[in-house]
Amino acid sequence: MSSPDTVLGTGEKRKLTLLAADLADWYRQGGGRSFPWREPGTPLYQLVCVEVLLQRTRAETVASFYHRFFTRFPGWQDLAEAPVEVLEEFLKPLGLWKRRAASLRALAAYAAKHDGMFPNRYEELLQVPAVGQYVAHAILMFQHGERFPLIDVNMARVVERFVRPRKLADIRHDPWLQQACKWLVRRGDPKKVNWSVLDHAALTCRARNPDCQSCFVSSRCAFKAA
């Protein structure tokens, strides 16, 4: 029998449904941020690479680097064939360049070999080099149109503040948090719902000094109530 701490309750689902709808409306009305990879028609190659570049890096930093990177490496084949020293040097402004270079080259080698197509099943995706939960969710959403959340510390913060804290330290393995984030993207355009949550985390529900006074969902927020 599942512990109550690991099961998403009916009331929690209702709160998250309302939160997703409010954030989607806010985003639709221009409340979110604007980045080049969010433009209509952005190739899958760029969308996936950006998710690797965004890890532990501010989106604004990646945006300033975006056009330079994809001009130098315009496709999977170009990235796969790039000498690792060249790629590492190019990625130095973002930090963690060795790790990023290894991840991007591994993804590129697979994609170039498979004509840019990734598996459409989560378990199979995890067998692809350099693909963990976050990148797998991104691929399933961007390439296969599946409803998956881009769960990182920012999305976790919004969900946990609005509803309740998770129990496990690792967000990848907390069953309640995983269910809650998946519930958030069950309706509407999953890309825009994901982006609206991440933008709310960056602009209002910040890790430090959250702007609860101007938050348009604070009346239902457990963190604000406490």
Side-chain angles (χ1 to χ4, degrees):
M1 184 175 179
S2 298
S3 164
D5 289 337
T6 66
V7 176
L8 189 64
T10 301
E12 294 171 338
K13 291 177 180 179
R14 189 178 301 115
K15 285 192 73 171
L16 290 166
T17 297
L18 292 172
L19 174 63
D22 286 344
L23 289 175
D25 287 343
W26 167 76
Y27 187 85
R28 192 169 6 320
Q29 293 166 19
R33 300 172 294 176
S34 176
F35 295 117
W37 56 86
R38 294 184 181 178
E39 294 297 320
T42 299
L44 175 75
Y45 163 66
Q46 295 183 13
L47 289 167
V48 174
C49 286
V50 161
E51 294 304 328
V52 176
L53 298 176
L54 283 170
Q55 293 176 19
R56 298 189 184 182
T57 304
R58 295 176 69 248
E60 291 78 8
T61 302
V62 175
S64 68
F65 188 75
Y66 179 86
H67 292 296
R68 191 151 47 99
F69 182 84
F70 290 112
T71 297
R72 176 64 180 80
F73 307 104
W76 288 122
Q77 194 69 44
D78 306 282
L79 197 54
E81 293 175 354
V84 65
E85 320 82 59
V86 172
L87 186 55
E88 287 178 355
E89 186 65 30
F90 202 85
L91 292 169
K92 274 189 176 180
L94 294 183
L96 300 173
W97 57 89
K98 288 185 178 294
R99 174 181 168 180
R100 292 186 209 278
S103 295
L104 287 169
R105 289 185 85 245
L107 279 171
Y110 180 93
K113 184 178 179 180
H114 295 85
D115 297 322
M117 289 298 298
F118 290 93
N120 61 4
R121 292 176 57 84
Y122 178 72
E123 295 75 13
E124 293 177 22
L125 264 174
L126 293 181
Q127 304 306 311
V128 175
V131 172
Q133 183 188 91
Y134 187 92
V135 172
H137 283 191
I139 291 171
L140 287 167
M141 180 177 65
F142 290 131
Q143 183 166 68
H144 301 295
E146 301 287 343
R147 295 183 177 279
F148 277 88
L150 299 177
I151 309 174
D152 65 359
V153 294
N154 301 298
M155 178 175 285
R157 182 172 67 252
V158 171
V159 169
E160 292 180 74
R161 282 179 173 173
F162 196 73
V163 185
R164 65 175 170 90
R166 68 183 187 271
K167 295 297 181 181
L168 301 183
D170 193 327
I171 61 177
R172 296 171 299 174
H173 303 306
D174 188 284
W176 178 86
L177 181 64
Q178 293 288 320
Q179 291 176 65
C181 292
K182 287 176 181 176
W183 191 268
L184 266 183
V185 300
R186 62 189 288 268
R187 294 178 179 172
D189 182 334
K191 294 192 296 296
K192 292 180 179 178
V193 175
N194 271 293
W195 290 337
S196 72
V197 177
L198 297 175
D199 287 0
H200 181 63
L203 300 173
T204 304
C205 195
R206 301 183 292 263
R208 296 181 180 181
N209 303 315
D211 189 5
C212 297
Q213 296 305 314
S214 67
C215 177
F216 54 91
V217 295
S218 63
S219 62
R220 300 192 305 275
C221 178
F223 179 80
K224 175 71 184 314

